[in-house]
Amino acid sequence: MADSPLVIVLMGSKSDWDVMRQTDEVLSNFGVPHECRVLSAHRTPAETAEYVSGAEARGVEVVIAAAGGAAHLAGVCAAHTVLPVLGVPMESAALKGMDSLLSTVQMPAGIPVGTLAIGPAGARNAALLAVAILGTSRPELRAKLRKFRDDQKAKILKESLS
Ligand code: RP5
C-alpha cells in the first residue's frame, strides 16, 4: 500500500485526541497510511479549507473529522471536497455530545456527512468504515476486515461470566 496518506483524521482541538487516538490505532492496526491533525472550523477556518481542498490531489480517499459542541467541522470539510467525509461527534461536557451529534448529523441536503456514534464508539467505527470504503477496491483490506470480524466473534463466543 502507498505510504502517502489514504485517510486524513482531523479534530477540532487537541482535547479531542484522547478519544481520536482510537481512530489512529485502528487505522494503524489495519496498516492504512493516514495523517492526524488538529484543525478547527472556527479557530483555523482558512487552514482547514486549504488542507481539505488539497487532500484529493495528495491521494487521500477518506476524510474523518471529529468535533465537539456546535463546531460543525465535518460539514465544513465536506464543503471543500467530494471525498467521503465521516463525522465523529465528541462528547461535550455541557450536553453530553448531543450538540456535537446534531451539528454533525443534521447536514442540509446536497453536502453529505456520514455520521458515527458519539465518542469512542464513533472514533473506532469511523476507522472501520474508512477501511470498508478503501476495501471496495483493495481485496487485501477486505480480507483484514473479515479477519477482524471473525476474531471479534470468536472472542465473544469464548466469554465466560463466572
Ligand atoms: C471543538 O470544541 C473541539 O472539537 C472540541 O471538542 C471542543 C472544545 O475544544 P477545546 O476548548 O477543548 O479546545 O472545536
Side-chain angles (χ1 to χ4, degrees):
M1 212 174 293
D3 279 345
S4 57
L6 291 174
V7 179
I8 54 174
V9 182
L10 276 66
M11 61 213 81
S13 167
K14 194 171 177 189
S15 65
D16 300 323
W17 178 238
D18 257 0
V19 171
M20 291 309 292
R21 70 169 72 246
Q22 298 189 42
T23 306
D24 175 53
E25 277 166 19
V26 173
L27 291 171
S28 294
N29 289 345
F30 277 90
V32 173
H34 63 284
E35 195 168 87
C36 300
R37 274 196 74 173
V38 176
L39 278 172
S40 163
H42 51 289
R43 291 169 178 155
T44 62
E47 291 78 2
T48 301
E50 187 186 350
Y51 180 67
V52 175
S53 303
E56 190 181 343
R58 294 172 58 211
V60 172
E61 296 186 25
V62 181
V63 177
I64 295 174
H72 189 29
L73 178 61
V76 168
C77 290
H80 290 286
T81 184
V82 295
L83 296 173
V85 175
L86 309 180
V88 185
M90 294 289 93
E91 183 174 332
S92 54
L95 295 171
K96 291 289 190 197
M98 192 53 83
D99 44 356
S100 323
L101 174 67
L102 296 179
S103 68
T104 305
V105 77
Q106 283 298 106
M107 284 298 289
I111 306 289
V113 166
T115 304
L116 285 301
I118 297 169
R124 298 184 75 76
N125 278 345
L128 292 170
L129 191 50
V131 169
I133 292 168
L134 296 170
T136 59
S137 59
R138 294 176 179 83
E140 74 281 10
L141 266 187
R142 275 210 305 280
K144 284 185 188 177
L145 201 48
R146 281 202 186 92
K147 182 175 182 320
F148 171 86
R149 297 264 184 113
D150 288 346
D151 291 349
Q152 183 170 247
K153 180 169 78 177
K155 185 166 172 265
I156 288 167
L157 293 176
K158 266 199 318 212
E159 298 286 15
S160 154
L161 299 178
S162 56

